[in-house]
Amino acid sequence: MSIILLSDFVTFAQPGSDDGGGGLEGTDPAPAPINSKLVLLAITGVCFVLYTFRKNKKHI
C-alpha cells in the first residue's frame, strides 16, 4: 500500500537543472481560473443537500 502512496512523488517529480539554480522560478504555465463555474457548483451543492435531507427525513 505504501508503494502506491509514495509512487506519486516519483511519477510527478521534475528533473533538476545542472546549473545549480534550483529552478524554483521557472517558466510555469499561467494558472487556470477556478471561479468560472463556482456559482453553478454552489447551487448544485445546495440542491443536493436539500434533496438528501428531505429524502432521509421521510424515512425516519
Side-chain angles (χ1 to χ4, degrees), residues 43-54:
I43 291 170
T44 305
V46 169
C47 291
F48 179 73
V49 167
L50 290 174
Y51 168 75
T52 306
F53 179 73
R54 289 181 181 166

Side-chain angles (χ1 to χ4, degrees), residues 4-59:
I4 295 171
L5 293 175
L6 294 176
S7 69
D8 183 48
F9 296 113
V10 176
T11 56
F12 292 109
Q14 298 177 355
S17 62
D18 292 334
D19 61 358
L24 294 177
E25 298 293 327
T27 57
D28 291 336
I34 60 169
N35 59 355
S36 60
K37 303 278 184 185
L38 199 57
V39 174
L40 181 62
L41 182 64
I43 291 170
T44 305
V46 169
C47 291
F48 179 73
V49 167
L50 290 174
Y51 168 75
T52 306
F53 179 73
R54 289 181 181 166
K55 180 180 160 187
N56 289 337
K57 189 176 181 183
K58 292 179 183 178
H59 292 289

